[in-house]
Amino acid sequence: MLDSVRPLAKAGATASTWVRRGLPACLAGISAATFAHAPSNDLLNLDFDQLTEIMVSEASGFEQAPWDAPVNVTVITRENIRDFGWLTLSDALGSLAGLFARNDRNYDYLGTPLSGDYNSRYLLLIDGVRATDGIYNQALTGHTALIGLESVERIEYIAGPGSSLHGGNAYYGTINVVTVSGRDGGEAGFQVGSLGVARGYASMHEHLGRAQISVSGSRYKRSGDDVYYPEFDTPDQNRGVATGLDGETDENIYLRLAQGGTQLQLAYSDRHRDVSTASYEQAFNQPGSWTQDQSLLLSLKHDRQLGSATDLGVEASLNRYRYTGHYVYGASEDDLSVDVAKSLSVRLAGRIRHEVSAQLRLLAGLDWQRDTELLQQNLTPSTREFFLNRNDQREHAGLYVAGEWQPTERVTSHLGLRLDDDSISGSQFSPRLGVSVRFNDAVTAKLGLAQAYRPPNAYELYYEVPGEGGSRANPTLKSERIRTSEFSLNLRPAGRFQYRFYGYHATLSDLLVQVPIPTTGELIFVNGGNVHVTGLTSDATASFDSGATLRVGLAYTGYHMHHELVETETVTLSAINTNLTVPLLDHRVIAGVEGRYMAPIQGWRGESDAFGLVHLNLRAPNLPFGLEASLRIANLLDTDYGYVGGPEHLQTTLPQDGRSLLFGLRMDW
């Protein structure tokens, strides 16, 4: 049972204090540093999207620059990751306008805080290979992620429905993690800091003849802090303070072996997290509440050129996932409830691309997946009594075609069609039509119509543990669907400045949400009514002769929903993200400043407060002996803030960490 859990409150500056004091100071510092005289440095002047150098293929199925893709694509580079000191995929993705990253003191999430959503509306790929489990179909992006950032060359985020190419779960967007390749060398380092955090990591990339091998791994440990929850502030509940229940460990291993057009990759992660939120009506401040996620992805890919205009790709992968959750409802052994979920999925895929002419490219592909094990259990260990012990199987097949036609030098049209058949949720048809018009070298407009779907996962369909704090199964669930109309405008008036606007209107049908049954209070997933969504995002990126780069992004999303079990609900999300890198001391130090403002969000039990955050990362990349030192100060202004919880929480908001420091030392070779 993946639940929402993530606390840690620190007294500090409020959002109003941040706006009143921190923002002017930050802007003054930014202005002074940005326009300071310093020599130009190509490495520091890289744009966020690397538009003239990086090619992406998961947006349309054809290799192209992000600027030319039929959808909005944002690229986060390895240099961006180092400049801002990000530790996880969530840290990096949270810097993008419109993704609204959040944490519930157990798991990290993206997008709208819908109850029961476990990141199953975003599809995660690693080097183009689907990396979601069979039980929850989730995109794990926090410390639960399959891959550590030391293995990552770049992260590609493709906004909007992608089911016409990738099938189910490419609903709101697709995340493709591209691993390091083509280089020799390595790195090793450690980090230590506040909250008992210690992390070590290493990676190596070597050519052995015509083959290249990449190996990387990391281990992270955190003891955490005591966390205060005012909802539990009574004498018999330690005045609302959860003591010693904030620890976390995670381990990652990644192996990649490539030769010619063949690539073998293995990714493994094991993450253990203590839970302090007393979710699902657990006893508060009782030790022993924790969750563990173990993931394994093994894949083999082969690409072959069949001629000057045709290429073939085949892929086989195996995905293994295990979840264990300990839920404590009292002090005795009989008060411990354990959840176990295990899945084993086998996937085969193939595609062929053909360039008919310089104006026309075609693509066809198919994939097949079998979930040979979908085990869900709930038991009391002391008595070995099972309240749930169910194992299911599932089979899925998809067939897709796509074409890209360029009738003139400045107009490109894209059509994608996909048909999926699932042994449980039936058939789905997912079309996409896009037109891109390049008015000149500086202005491009894109129009798109798309439809996508998300099938109900095994947890939503079959998880049932009746009783107080329990859940009910609903095997009659249908797939939810989204239909969007999109418009984007990309401006690049100068080589070092770019601006993008992206707007869409979407209708969501049969949206899957988790609600309490009025008569019993048990949670159940239902298909809601229609939801109308309007989204607007814009971002501007600039680089300067000083070597500084600045990106500012704004995002708004509004939802309106009605269902007999859900009161008419309007939810809006608004955020501002800023990212600035500034070279200091004649480029001997690089400062990465990350700002984030989040407007109030209506959650299950109330509304969160608006807040502003500032993170600062300093790194000295050119020390003797190939060393680099870094210092990251997260929540620089010690802002007191929290994210809304779900129906499994009694808390209106789940408080987050205050100011914390992380020192690092790394050696490159």
Side-chain angles (χ1 to χ4, degrees), residues 30-195:
I30 287 170
S31 300
T34 298
F35 299 103
H37 293 292
S40 178
N41 184 305
D42 291 341
L43 184 62
L44 297 173
N45 285 327
L46 294 176
D47 291 337
F48 271 84
D49 292 275
Q50 307 281 289
L51 292 179
T52 60
E53 299 177 11
I54 291 176
M55 305 295 283
V56 300
S57 60
E58 301 305 330
S60 65
F62 303 104
E63 196 170 79
Q64 56 202 165
W67 188 267
D68 297 323
V71 293
N72 243 26
V73 181
T74 303
V75 177
I76 298 171
T77 68
R78 184 177 181 84
E79 197 71 13
N80 300 149
I81 293 169
R82 289 186 172 184
D83 283 344
F84 295 103
W86 294 321
L87 295 182
T88 67
L89 287 174
S90 287
D91 291 340
L93 292 167
S95 71
L96 303 183
L99 277 182
F100 306 109
R102 67 191 189 283
N103 181 284
D104 68 0
R105 299 211 72 83
N106 191 1
Y107 292 96
D108 288 13
Y109 303 97
L110 302 172
T112 308
L114 297 171
S115 56
D117 181 8
Y118 303 127
N119 268 6
S120 57
R121 294 181 175 92
Y122 292 89
L123 179 64
L124 177 64
L125 309 173
I126 299 178
D127 286 338
V129 178
R130 179 179 280 255
T132 56
D133 68 276
I135 294 288
Y136 308 104
N137 301 148
Q138 61 196 328
L140 294 170
T141 58
H143 285 286
T144 53
L146 259 168
I147 193 168
L149 293 188
E150 63 278 349
S151 309
V152 174
E153 182 68 26
R154 66 181 184 270
I155 304 165
E156 302 167 355
Y157 175 64
I158 302 146
S163 288
S164 64
L165 181 63
H166 298 294
N169 303 103
Y171 194 82
Y172 289 149
T174 302
I175 303 157
N176 184 38
V177 178
V178 180
T179 61
V180 175
S181 64
R183 64 174 70 180
D184 285 343
E187 64 176 323
F190 70 89
Q191 295 171 294
V192 293
S194 308
L195 305 173

Side-chain angles (χ1 to χ4, degrees), residues 12-27 597 612 637 639:
T14 62
S16 61
T17 305
W18 182 84
V19 173
R20 189 176 65 251
R21 299 179 184 173
L23 187 56
C26 287
L27 290 176
Y597 169 79
L637 303 179
T639 300

